[in-house]
Amino acid sequence: MSHEWLAGVDGCPGGWVVAFVAPPGAGEAVRLRMERTFAEIVAAPEAPAVIAVDMPIGLPDRVGPGGRVAETLVRPRLGARQSSVFSVPSRAAVYAADYGAACAAALASSEPPRKVSRQLFNLVPKIREVDAALVGDPVLAARVFESHPELAFWQMNGEAPLAEPKKVKGRPYGPGLDLRRRLLVAAGLPVAVVEAAPPRGAGADDLLDALACSVTARRIRAGLARPLPDPPPRDRHGLPMAIWA
């Protein structure tokens, strides 16, 4: 029987790890796959009706303390996990030619003035991929939503911060990964999928993050998810600047 596909997406060293899932009640089918580019996800044969991606959507012209309003609203909910929420810099900083230029642009467009972190700058190519796809296609922009795995796990955990991290000193942390696996199973994902080996080019944490985003995609499609902030402000191209859960 045919059914509608949804997608949870996380950026990783190999490209993008994608969990294609069906809405609850439409079957247990889940397809895990690595895609090289965001455009390949959009053009996938599953034609996902909702794509929940762990990547900033909507780039401000100027940034206040703590980044966009979305980041400032999400962090307090995550407790000790709030360091996973990066401050998104201005559009000019994201599209700067190199790290030095990005820092200069960020300093000129933030209050108080601050540079771009190295961690965030490493995400810039993927931020640009998503931004370029959505700015160029308003129809696609209506299908793609910004999500954040730790906010998704917060929601799955009864809107409470998780007690365990996914990594400790940059290495996968078993108790934290197992906690997240239990939450994903409780949210309705098959055990075999949650415990599967990640696609080549992705880590175990990347796979769990993509699955968490797929839970958010289901909530969006069911009309249960809400944006932070609500309603979302929009950037100069009309893209909403909000994180969904």
Side-chain angles (χ1 to χ4, degrees):
M1 182 177 68
S2 63
H3 55 247
E4 178 182 67
W5 290 95
L6 312 172
V9 183
D10 186 55
C12 61
W16 302 86
V17 59
V18 189
F20 293 100
V21 301
E28 289 293 308
V30 180
R31 298 175 181 174
L32 303 176
R33 198 158 68 238
M34 181 70 70
E35 298 287 9
R36 186 176 55 85
T37 66
F38 188 73
E40 289 173 356
I41 301 168
V42 173
E46 290 83 1
V50 171
I51 300 171
V53 58
D54 178 19
M55 201 57 59
I57 293 173
L59 303 175
D61 290 327
R62 294 197 61 81
V63 183
R68 303 174 305 171
V69 175
E71 285 95 69
T72 65
L73 292 177
V74 168
R75 285 192 192 101
R77 290 166 165 79
L78 302 187
R81 312 279 79 79
Q82 63 183 273
S83 61
S84 65
V85 182
F86 299 136
S87 293
V88 177
S90 66
R91 178 172 291 277
V94 169
Y95 278 91
D98 53 39
Y99 182 64
C103 286
L107 285 169
S109 57
S110 57
E111 184 60 45
R114 65 183 178 278
K115 297 180 180 180
V116 178
S117 73
R118 279 285 184 184
Q119 279 182 302
L120 189 284
F121 188 73
N122 290 338
L123 297 177
V124 158
K126 285 185 166 60
I127 296 174
R128 291 178 181 176
E129 268 192 75
V130 175
D131 182 68
L134 302 188
V135 168
D137 187 347
V139 175
L140 175 61
R143 295 167 47 204
V144 181
F145 298 79
E146 180 179 349
S147 60
H148 191 287
E150 288 304 306
L151 186 64
F153 285 122
W154 167 87
Q155 189 280 323
M156 288 181 245
N157 196 43
E159 299 190 353
L162 272 62
E164 304 282 1
K166 286 181 297 191
K167 289 185 174 182
V168 174
K169 296 182 178 178
R171 293 180 172 273
Y173 181 61
L177 297 179
D178 288 341
L179 170 59
R180 287 160 177 78
R181 291 185 179 106
R182 291 194 296 273
L183 291 171
L184 290 168
V185 171
L189 293 179
V191 174
V193 171
V194 172
E195 295 182 349
R200 185 174 181 180
D205 58 320
D206 299 319
L207 173 57
L208 297 182
D209 285 353
L211 289 169
C213 290
S214 78
V215 172
T216 298
R218 281 181 165 179
R219 286 178 53 78
I220 292 168
R221 194 56 171 165
L224 300 174
R226 293 293 178 266
L228 291 171
D230 186 7
R234 294 181 179 265
D235 74 1
R236 70 165 75 169
H237 295 286
L239 298 179
M241 295 183 285
I243 300 173
W244 289 73

PDB file of all heavy atoms in Angstrom, residues 18-57:
ATOM      1  N   VAL A  18      19.614  10.671   6.277  1.00  0.00           N
ATOM      2  CA  VAL A  18      18.177  10.902   6.151  1.00  0.00           C
ATOM      3  C   VAL A  18      17.409   9.688   6.660  1.00  0.00           C
ATOM      4  O   VAL A  18      17.738   8.548   6.322  1.00  0.00           O
ATOM      5  CB  VAL A  18      17.773  11.162   4.682  1.00  0.00           C
ATOM      6  CG1 VAL A  18      16.316  11.615   4.601  1.00  0.00           C
ATOM      7  CG2 VAL A  18      18.685  12.191   4.047  1.00  0.00           C
ATOM      8  N   ALA A  19      16.394   9.948   7.467  1.00  0.00           N
ATOM      9  CA  ALA A  19      15.453   8.913   7.887  1.00  0.00           C
ATOM     10  C   ALA A  19      14.113   9.227   7.228  1.00  0.00           C
ATOM     11  O   ALA A  19      13.442  10.190   7.609  1.00  0.00           O
ATOM     12  CB  ALA A  19      15.315   8.889   9.400  1.00  0.00           C
ATOM     13  N   PHE A  20      13.775   8.453   6.208  1.00  0.00           N
ATOM     14  CA  PHE A  20      12.469   8.585   5.560  1.00  0.00           C
ATOM     15  C   PHE A  20      11.482   7.720   6.347  1.00  0.00           C
ATOM     16  O   PHE A  20      11.708   6.517   6.528  1.00  0.00           O
ATOM     17  CB  PHE A  20      12.521   8.106   4.113  1.00  0.00           C
ATOM     18  CG  PHE A  20      13.364   8.956   3.202  1.00  0.00           C
ATOM     19  CD1 PHE A  20      14.655   8.573   2.864  1.00  0.00           C
ATOM     20  CD2 PHE A  20      12.878  10.149   2.672  1.00  0.00           C
ATOM     21  CE1 PHE A  20      15.434   9.345   2.015  1.00  0.00           C
ATOM     22  CE2 PHE A  20      13.657  10.934   1.833  1.00  0.00           C
ATOM     23  CZ  PHE A  20      14.937  10.522   1.497  1.00  0.00           C
ATOM     24  N   VAL A  21      10.391   8.315   6.811  1.00  0.00           N
ATOM     25  CA  VAL A  21       9.424   7.583   7.622  1.00  0.00           C
ATOM     26  C   VAL A  21       8.017   7.855   7.110  1.00  0.00           C
ATOM     27  O   VAL A  21       7.755   8.851   6.436  1.00  0.00           O
ATOM     28  CB  VAL A  21       9.509   7.982   9.115  1.00  0.00           C
ATOM     29  CG1 VAL A  21      10.904   7.721   9.674  1.00  0.00           C
ATOM     30  CG2 VAL A  21       9.122   9.443   9.327  1.00  0.00           C
ATOM     31  N   ALA A  22       7.121   6.939   7.477  1.00  0.00           N
ATOM     32  CA  ALA A  22       5.701   7.127   7.191  1.00  0.00           C
ATOM     33  C   ALA A  22       5.024   7.700   8.422  1.00  0.00           C
ATOM     34  O   ALA A  22       5.497   7.492   9.543  1.00  0.00           O
ATOM     35  CB  ALA A  22       5.059   5.796   6.816  1.00  0.00           C
ATOM     36  N   PRO A  23       3.913   8.431   8.257  1.00  0.00           N
ATOM     37  CA  PRO A  23       3.189   8.914   9.433  1.00  0.00           C
ATOM     38  C   PRO A  23       2.707   7.744  10.278  1.00  0.00           C
ATOM     39  O   PRO A  23       2.524   6.632   9.764  1.00  0.00           O
ATOM     40  CB  PRO A  23       2.007   9.680   8.826  1.00  0.00           C
ATOM     41  CG  PRO A  23       2.410  10.000   7.433  1.00  0.00           C
ATOM     42  CD  PRO A  23       3.279   8.873   6.994  1.00  0.00           C
ATOM     43  N   PRO A  24       2.483   7.952  11.584  1.00  0.00           N
ATOM     44  CA  PRO A  24       1.957   6.868  12.426  1.00  0.00           C
ATOM     45  C   PRO A  24       0.672   6.306  11.850  1.00  0.00           C
ATOM     46  O   PRO A  24      -0.193   7.041  11.375  1.00  0.00           O
ATOM     47  CB  PRO A  24       1.705   7.566  13.771  1.00  0.00           C
ATOM     48  CG  PRO A  24       2.635   8.724  13.780  1.00  0.00           C
ATOM     49  CD  PRO A  24       2.724   9.186  12.353  1.00  0.00           C
ATOM     50  N   GLY A  25       0.550   4.990  11.865  1.00  0.00           N
ATOM     51  CA  GLY A  25      -0.637   4.334  11.350  1.00  0.00           C
ATOM     52  C   GLY A  25      -0.551   3.967   9.880  1.00  0.00           C
ATOM     53  O   GLY A  25      -1.397   3.241   9.357  1.00  0.00           O
ATOM     54  N   ALA A  26       0.490   4.457   9.197  1.00  0.00           N
ATOM     55  CA  ALA A  26       0.618   4.164   7.766  1.00  0.00           C
ATOM     56  C   ALA A  26       1.606   3.032   7.504  1.00  0.00           C
ATOM     57  O   ALA A  26       1.975   2.780   6.376  1.00  0.00           O
ATOM     58  CB  ALA A  26       1.059   5.413   7.016  1.00  0.00           C
ATOM     59  N   GLY A  27       2.047   2.371   8.561  1.00  0.00           N
ATOM     60  CA  GLY A  27       2.998   1.278   8.372  1.00  0.00           C
ATOM     61  C   GLY A  27       4.291   1.557   9.108  1.00  0.00           C
ATOM     62  O   GLY A  27       4.545   2.660   9.578  1.00  0.00           O
ATOM     63  N   GLU A  28       5.111   0.528   9.187  1.00  0.00           N
ATOM     64  CA  GLU A  28       6.350   0.621   9.944  1.00  0.00           C
ATOM     65  C   GLU A  28       7.554   0.973   9.072  1.00  0.00           C
ATOM     66  O   GLU A  28       8.675   0.957   9.538  1.00  0.00           O
ATOM     67  CB  GLU A  28       6.618  -0.720  10.645  1.00  0.00           C
ATOM     68  CG  GLU A  28       5.671  -1.006  11.793  1.00  0.00           C
ATOM     69  CD  GLU A  28       5.863  -0.050  12.958  1.00  0.00           C
ATOM     70  OE1 GLU A  28       7.007   0.101  13.427  1.00  0.00           O
ATOM     71  OE2 GLU A  28       4.870   0.558  13.390  1.00  0.00           O
ATOM     72  N   ALA A  29       7.314   1.269   7.806  1.00  0.00           N
ATOM     73  CA  ALA A  29       8.430   1.451   6.884  1.00  0.00           C
ATOM     74  C   ALA A  29       9.289   2.655   7.275  1.00  0.00           C
ATOM     75  O   ALA A  29       8.791   3.757   7.501  1.00  0.00           O
ATOM     76  CB  ALA A  29       7.905   1.634   5.466  1.00  0.00           C
ATOM     77  N   VAL A  30      10.582   2.412   7.381  1.00  0.00           N
ATOM     78  CA  VAL A  30      11.570   3.477   7.587  1.00  0.00           C
ATOM     79  C   VAL A  30      12.747   3.168   6.677  1.00  0.00           C
ATOM     80  O   VAL A  30      13.213   2.038   6.618  1.00  0.00           O
ATOM     81  CB  VAL A  30      12.058   3.554   9.050  1.00  0.00           C
ATOM     82  CG1 VAL A  30      13.084   4.666   9.205  1.00  0.00           C
ATOM     83  CG2 VAL A  30      10.898   3.772  10.006  1.00  0.00           C
ATOM     84  N   ARG A  31      13.208   4.149   5.958  1.00  0.00           N
ATOM     85  CA  ARG A  31      14.364   3.978   5.083  1.00  0.00           C
ATOM     86  C   ARG A  31      15.470   4.927   5.535  1.00  0.00           C
ATOM     87  O   ARG A  31      15.259   6.135   5.625  1.00  0.00           O
ATOM     88  CB  ARG A  31      13.990   4.285   3.628  1.00  0.00           C
ATOM     89  CG  ARG A  31      12.932   3.356   3.049  1.00  0.00           C
ATOM     90  CD  ARG A  31      12.529   3.783   1.651  1.00  0.00           C
ATOM     91  NE  ARG A  31      11.488   2.913   1.105  1.00  0.00           N
ATOM     92  CZ  ARG A  31      10.859   3.127  -0.054  1.00  0.00           C
ATOM     93  NH1 ARG A  31      11.190   4.190  -0.795  1.00  0.00           N
ATOM     94  NH2 ARG A  31       9.932   2.292  -0.477  1.00  0.00           N
ATOM     95  N   LEU A  32      16.628   4.361   5.815  1.00  0.00           N
ATOM     96  CA  LEU A  32      17.790   5.145   6.217  1.00  0.00           C
ATOM     97  C   LEU A  32      18.748   5.251   5.051  1.00  0.00           C
ATOM     98  O   LEU A  32      19.054   4.246   4.403  1.00  0.00           O
ATOM     99  CB  LEU A  32      18.493   4.482   7.406  1.00  0.00           C
ATOM    100  CG  LEU A  32      17.635   4.243   8.645  1.00  0.00           C
ATOM    101  CD1 LEU A  32      18.439   3.503   9.704  1.00  0.00           C
ATOM    102  CD2 LEU A  32      17.087   5.547   9.197  1.00  0.00           C
ATOM    103  N   ARG A  33      19.231   6.452   4.797  1.00  0.00           N
ATOM    104  CA  ARG A  33      20.081   6.623   3.621  1.00  0.00           C
ATOM    105  C   ARG A  33      20.997   7.829   3.801  1.00  0.00           C
ATOM    106  O   ARG A  33      20.657   8.773   4.506  1.00  0.00           O
ATOM    107  CB  ARG A  33      19.197   6.817   2.378  1.00  0.00           C
ATOM    108  CG  ARG A  33      19.915   6.574   1.072  1.00  0.00           C
ATOM    109  CD  ARG A  33      18.952   6.237  -0.065  1.00  0.00           C
ATOM    110  NE  ARG A  33      18.094   7.332  -0.476  1.00  0.00           N
ATOM    111  CZ  ARG A  33      16.749   7.263  -0.469  1.00  0.00           C
ATOM    112  NH1 ARG A  33      16.134   6.191  -0.017  1.00  0.00           N
ATOM    113  NH2 ARG A  33      16.038   8.289  -0.888  1.00  0.00           N
ATOM    114  N   MET A  34      22.139   7.765   3.161  1.00  0.00           N
ATOM    115  CA  MET A  34      23.035   8.920   3.086  1.00  0.00           C
ATOM    116  C   MET A  34      22.824   9.601   1.740  1.00  0.00           C
ATOM    117  O   MET A  34      22.787   8.932   0.699  1.00  0.00           O
ATOM    118  CB  MET A  34      24.494   8.472   3.205  1.00  0.00           C
ATOM    119  CG  MET A  34      25.490   9.613   3.171  1.00  0.00           C
ATOM    120  SD  MET A  34      25.441  10.629   4.643  1.00  0.00           S
ATOM    121  CE  MET A  34      26.142   9.481   5.829  1.00  0.00           C
ATOM    122  N   GLU A  35      22.643  10.906   1.762  1.00  0.00           N
ATOM    123  CA  GLU A  35      22.554  11.686   0.531  1.00  0.00           C
ATOM    124  C   GLU A  35      23.704  12.686   0.526  1.00  0.00           C
ATOM    125  O   GLU A  35      24.071  13.246   1.564  1.00  0.00           O
ATOM    126  CB  GLU A  35      21.215  12.422   0.442  1.00  0.00           C
ATOM    127  CG  GLU A  35      19.994  11.523   0.394  1.00  0.00           C
ATOM    128  CD  GLU A  35      19.804  10.790  -0.927  1.00  0.00           C
ATOM    129  OE1 GLU A  35      20.719  10.834  -1.782  1.00  0.00           O
ATOM    130  OE2 GLU A  35      18.744  10.178  -1.119  1.00  0.00           O
ATOM    131  N   ARG A  36      24.268  12.895  -0.634  1.00  0.00           N
ATOM    132  CA  ARG A  36      25.443  13.767  -0.741  1.00  0.00           C
ATOM    133  C   ARG A  36      25.069  15.231  -0.603  1.00  0.00           C
ATOM    134  O   ARG A  36      25.817  16.017  -0.015  1.00  0.00           O
ATOM    135  CB  ARG A  36      26.131  13.516  -2.089  1.00  0.00           C
ATOM    136  CG  ARG A  36      27.448  14.248  -2.271  1.00  0.00           C
ATOM    137  CD  ARG A  36      28.097  13.851  -3.597  1.00  0.00           C
ATOM    138  NE  ARG A  36      27.195  14.078  -4.723  1.00  0.00           N
ATOM    139  CZ  ARG A  36      27.050  15.236  -5.364  1.00  0.00           C
ATOM    140  NH1 ARG A  36      27.763  16.297  -4.984  1.00  0.00           N
ATOM    141  NH2 ARG A  36      26.221  15.355  -6.377  1.00  0.00           N
ATOM    142  N   THR A  37      23.914  15.629  -1.143  1.00  0.00           N
ATOM    143  CA  THR A  37      23.495  17.030  -1.109  1.00  0.00           C
ATOM    144  C   THR A  37      22.055  17.146  -0.630  1.00  0.00           C
ATOM    145  O   THR A  37      21.268  16.194  -0.696  1.00  0.00           O
ATOM    146  CB  THR A  37      23.586  17.675  -2.501  1.00  0.00           C
ATOM    147  OG1 THR A  37      22.625  17.056  -3.371  1.00  0.00           O
ATOM    148  CG2 THR A  37      24.985  17.512  -3.092  1.00  0.00           C
ATOM    149  N   PHE A  38      21.698  18.330  -0.172  1.00  0.00           N
ATOM    150  CA  PHE A  38      20.316  18.567   0.246  1.00  0.00           C
ATOM    151  C   PHE A  38      19.377  18.469  -0.957  1.00  0.00           C
ATOM    152  O   PHE A  38      18.237  17.998  -0.822  1.00  0.00           O
ATOM    153  CB  PHE A  38      20.198  19.943   0.901  1.00  0.00           C
ATOM    154  CG  PHE A  38      18.865  20.204   1.528  1.00  0.00           C
ATOM    155  CD1 PHE A  38      18.509  19.582   2.709  1.00  0.00           C
ATOM    156  CD2 PHE A  38      17.959  21.062   0.928  1.00  0.00           C
ATOM    157  CE1 PHE A  38      17.270  19.804   3.289  1.00  0.00           C
ATOM    158  CE2 PHE A  38      16.717  21.304   1.501  1.00  0.00           C
ATOM    159  CZ  PHE A  38      16.373  20.671   2.684  1.00  0.00           C
ATOM    160  N   ALA A  39      19.845  18.881  -2.129  1.00  0.00           N
ATOM    161  CA  ALA A  39      19.018  18.782  -3.334  1.00  0.00           C
ATOM    162  C   ALA A  39      18.619  17.343  -3.628  1.00  0.00           C
ATOM    163  O   ALA A  39      17.518  17.089  -4.138  1.00  0.00           O
ATOM    164  CB  ALA A  39      19.768  19.387  -4.528  1.00  0.00           C
ATOM    165  N   GLU A  40      19.491  16.392  -3.307  1.00  0.00           N
ATOM    166  CA  GLU A  40      19.160  14.988  -3.540  1.00  0.00           C
ATOM    167  C   GLU A  40      18.047  14.516  -2.605  1.00  0.00           C
ATOM    168  O   GLU A  40      17.260  13.642  -2.970  1.00  0.00           O
ATOM    169  CB  GLU A  40      20.415  14.130  -3.365  1.00  0.00           C
ATOM    170  CG  GLU A  40      21.426  14.326  -4.486  1.00  0.00           C
ATOM    171  CD  GLU A  40      22.741  13.609  -4.217  1.00  0.00           C
ATOM    172  OE1 GLU A  40      22.906  13.026  -3.124  1.00  0.00           O
ATOM    173  OE2 GLU A  40      23.619  13.652  -5.099  1.00  0.00           O
ATOM    174  N   ILE A  41      17.980  15.075  -1.409  1.00  0.00           N
ATOM    175  CA  ILE A  41      16.880  14.740  -0.501  1.00  0.00           C
ATOM    176  C   ILE A  41      15.562  15.242  -1.077  1.00  0.00           C
ATOM    177  O   ILE A  41      14.552  14.528  -1.097  1.00  0.00           O
ATOM    178  CB  ILE A  41      17.126  15.357   0.886  1.00  0.00           C
ATOM    179  CG1 ILE A  41      18.430  14.841   1.483  1.00  0.00           C
ATOM    180  CG2 ILE A  41      15.955  15.073   1.823  1.00  0.00           C
ATOM    181  CD1 ILE A  41      18.891  15.610   2.706  1.00  0.00           C
ATOM    182  N   VAL A  42      15.577  16.465  -1.557  1.00  0.00           N
ATOM    183  CA  VAL A  42      14.370  17.057  -2.137  1.00  0.00           C
ATOM    184  C   VAL A  42      13.890  16.252  -3.342  1.00  0.00           C
ATOM    185  O   VAL A  42      12.688  16.049  -3.537  1.00  0.00           O
ATOM    186  CB  VAL A  42      14.651  18.517  -2.540  1.00  0.00           C
ATOM    187  CG1 VAL A  42      13.478  19.107  -3.305  1.00  0.00           C
ATOM    188  CG2 VAL A  42      14.977  19.352  -1.299  1.00  0.00           C
ATOM    189  N   ALA A  43      14.845  15.763  -4.138  1.00  0.00           N
ATOM    190  CA  ALA A  43      14.510  15.030  -5.367  1.00  0.00           C
ATOM    191  C   ALA A  43      14.381  13.528  -5.147  1.00  0.00           C
ATOM    192  O   ALA A  43      14.215  12.780  -6.105  1.00  0.00           O
ATOM    193  CB  ALA A  43      15.571  15.300  -6.425  1.00  0.00           C
ATOM    194  N   ALA A  44      14.453  13.056  -3.908  1.00  0.00           N
ATOM    195  CA  ALA A  44      14.402  11.617  -3.622  1.00  0.00           C
ATOM    196  C   ALA A  44      13.093  11.005  -4.092  1.00  0.00           C
ATOM    197  O   ALA A  44      12.054  11.681  -4.126  1.00  0.00           O
ATOM    198  CB  ALA A  44      14.558  11.386  -2.110  1.00  0.00           C
ATOM    199  N   PRO A  45      13.120   9.727  -4.449  1.00  0.00           N
ATOM    200  CA  PRO A  45      11.887   9.072  -4.925  1.00  0.00           C
ATOM    201  C   PRO A  45      10.768   9.050  -3.894  1.00  0.00           C
ATOM    202  O   PRO A  45       9.594   8.982  -4.265  1.00  0.00           O
ATOM    203  CB  PRO A  45      12.349   7.654  -5.273  1.00  0.00           C
ATOM    204  CG  PRO A  45      13.683   7.480  -4.631  1.00  0.00           C
ATOM    205  CD  PRO A  45      14.287   8.832  -4.546  1.00  0.00           C
ATOM    206  N   GLU A  46      11.130   9.160  -2.608  1.00  0.00           N
ATOM    207  CA  GLU A  46      10.085   9.184  -1.582  1.00  0.00           C
ATOM    208  C   GLU A  46       9.278  10.485  -1.597  1.00  0.00           C
ATOM    209  O   GLU A  46       8.169  10.537  -1.050  1.00  0.00           O
ATOM    210  CB  GLU A  46      10.716   9.003  -0.188  1.00  0.00           C
ATOM    211  CG  GLU A  46      11.269   7.626   0.080  1.00  0.00           C
ATOM    212  CD  GLU A  46      12.671   7.421  -0.472  1.00  0.00           C
ATOM    213  OE1 GLU A  46      13.245   8.379  -1.065  1.00  0.00           O
ATOM    214  OE2 GLU A  46      13.201   6.313  -0.311  1.00  0.00           O
ATOM    215  N   ALA A  47       9.820  11.539  -2.198  1.00  0.00           N
ATOM    216  CA  ALA A  47       9.161  12.847  -2.299  1.00  0.00           C
ATOM    217  C   ALA A  47       8.545  13.263  -0.968  1.00  0.00           C
ATOM    218  O   ALA A  47       7.334  13.437  -0.848  1.00  0.00           O
ATOM    219  CB  ALA A  47       8.087  12.823  -3.390  1.00  0.00           C
ATOM    220  N   PRO A  48       9.373  13.413   0.081  1.00  0.00           N
ATOM    221  CA  PRO A  48       8.815  13.677   1.412  1.00  0.00           C
ATOM    222  C   PRO A  48       7.955  14.933   1.460  1.00  0.00           C
ATOM    223  O   PRO A  48       8.344  15.987   0.972  1.00  0.00           O
ATOM    224  CB  PRO A  48      10.056  13.812   2.295  1.00  0.00           C
ATOM    225  CG  PRO A  48      11.189  14.110   1.360  1.00  0.00           C
ATOM    226  CD  PRO A  48      10.855  13.406   0.085  1.00  0.00           C
ATOM    227  N   ALA A  49       6.774  14.794   2.061  1.00  0.00           N
ATOM    228  CA  ALA A  49       5.841  15.914   2.173  1.00  0.00           C
ATOM    229  C   ALA A  49       6.306  16.916   3.227  1.00  0.00           C
ATOM    230  O   ALA A  49       5.984  18.104   3.142  1.00  0.00           O
ATOM    231  CB  ALA A  49       4.450  15.400   2.533  1.00  0.00           C
ATOM    232  N   VAL A  50       7.044  16.431   4.223  1.00  0.00           N
ATOM    233  CA  VAL A  50       7.630  17.285   5.253  1.00  0.00           C
ATOM    234  C   VAL A  50       9.083  16.863   5.425  1.00  0.00           C
ATOM    235  O   VAL A  50       9.381  15.668   5.534  1.00  0.00           O
ATOM    236  CB  VAL A  50       6.887  17.151   6.601  1.00  0.00           C
ATOM    237  CG1 VAL A  50       7.651  17.872   7.702  1.00  0.00           C
ATOM    238  CG2 VAL A  50       5.472  17.690   6.500  1.00  0.00           C
ATOM    239  N   ILE A  51       9.978  17.833   5.449  1.00  0.00           N
ATOM    240  CA  ILE A  51      11.391  17.590   5.712  1.00  0.00           C
ATOM    241  C   ILE A  51      11.764  18.397   6.949  1.00  0.00           C
ATOM    242  O   ILE A  51      11.699  19.632   6.934  1.00  0.00           O
ATOM    243  CB  ILE A  51      12.272  18.015   4.522  1.00  0.00           C
ATOM    244  CG1 ILE A  51      11.898  17.226   3.264  1.00  0.00           C
ATOM    245  CG2 ILE A  51      13.756  17.823   4.850  1.00  0.00           C
ATOM    246  CD1 ILE A  51      12.579  17.735   1.985  1.00  0.00           C
ATOM    247  N   ALA A  52      12.110  17.711   8.028  1.00  0.00           N
ATOM    248  CA  ALA A  52      12.558  18.377   9.252  1.00  0.00           C
ATOM    249  C   ALA A  52      14.066  18.220   9.316  1.00  0.00           C
ATOM    250  O   ALA A  52      14.578  17.105   9.418  1.00  0.00           O
ATOM    251  CB  ALA A  52      11.897  17.762  10.473  1.00  0.00           C
ATOM    252  N   VAL A  53      14.782  19.325   9.251  1.00  0.00           N
ATOM    253  CA  VAL A  53      16.236  19.281   9.111  1.00  0.00           C
ATOM    254  C   VAL A  53      16.912  20.022  10.262  1.00  0.00           C
ATOM    255  O   VAL A  53      16.468  21.102  10.664  1.00  0.00           O
ATOM    256  CB  VAL A  53      16.668  19.872   7.746  1.00  0.00           C
ATOM    257  CG1 VAL A  53      16.193  21.308   7.568  1.00  0.00           C
ATOM    258  CG2 VAL A  53      18.173  19.765   7.549  1.00  0.00           C
ATOM    259  N   ASP A  54      17.974  19.428  10.768  1.00  0.00           N
ATOM    260  CA  ASP A  54      18.758  20.060  11.822  1.00  0.00           C
ATOM    261  C   ASP A  54      19.772  21.002  11.185  1.00  0.00           C
ATOM    262  O   ASP A  54      20.958  20.700  11.069  1.00  0.00           O
ATOM    263  CB  ASP A  54      19.471  18.987  12.658  1.00  0.00           C
ATOM    264  CG  ASP A  54      20.354  19.603  13.749  1.00  0.00           C
ATOM    265  OD1 ASP A  54      20.130  20.776  14.084  1.00  0.00           O
ATOM    266  OD2 ASP A  54      21.265  18.905  14.243  1.00  0.00           O
ATOM    267  N   MET A  55      19.261  22.143  10.756  1.00  0.00           N
ATOM    268  CA  MET A  55      20.102  23.160  10.130  1.00  0.00           C
ATOM    269  C   MET A  55      19.332  24.476  10.183  1.00  0.00           C
ATOM    270  O   MET A  55      18.111  24.473  10.014  1.00  0.00           O
ATOM    271  CB  MET A  55      20.418  22.796   8.666  1.00  0.00           C
ATOM    272  CG  MET A  55      21.641  23.478   8.086  1.00  0.00           C
ATOM    273  SD  MET A  55      23.190  23.186   9.000  1.00  0.00           S
ATOM    274  CE  MET A  55      23.345  21.386   8.928  1.00  0.00           C
ATOM    275  N   PRO A  56      20.000  25.599  10.439  1.00  0.00           N
ATOM    276  CA  PRO A  56      19.287  26.870  10.509  1.00  0.00           C
ATOM    277  C   PRO A  56      18.555  27.207   9.207  1.00  0.00           C
ATOM    278  O   PRO A  56      19.088  27.023   8.115  1.00  0.00           O
ATOM    279  CB  PRO A  56      20.403  27.884  10.779  1.00  0.00           C
ATOM    280  CG  PRO A  56      21.484  27.096  11.422  1.00  0.00           C
ATOM    281  CD  PRO A  56      21.430  25.747  10.783  1.00  0.00           C
ATOM    282  N   ILE A  57      17.345  27.688   9.353  1.00  0.00           N
ATOM    283  CA  ILE A  57      16.548  28.193   8.236  1.00  0.00           C
ATOM    284  C   ILE A  57      16.141  29.619   8.592  1.00  0.00           C
ATOM    285  O   ILE A  57      15.638  29.870   9.690  1.00  0.00           O
ATOM    286  CB  ILE A  57      15.299  27.323   7.998  1.00  0.00           C
ATOM    287  CG1 ILE A  57      15.698  25.927   7.502  1.00  0.00           C
ATOM    288  CG2 ILE A  57      14.355  27.996   6.996  1.00  0.00           C
ATOM    289  CD1 ILE A  57      14.538  24.958   7.402  1.00  0.00           C
TER     290      ILE A  57
END
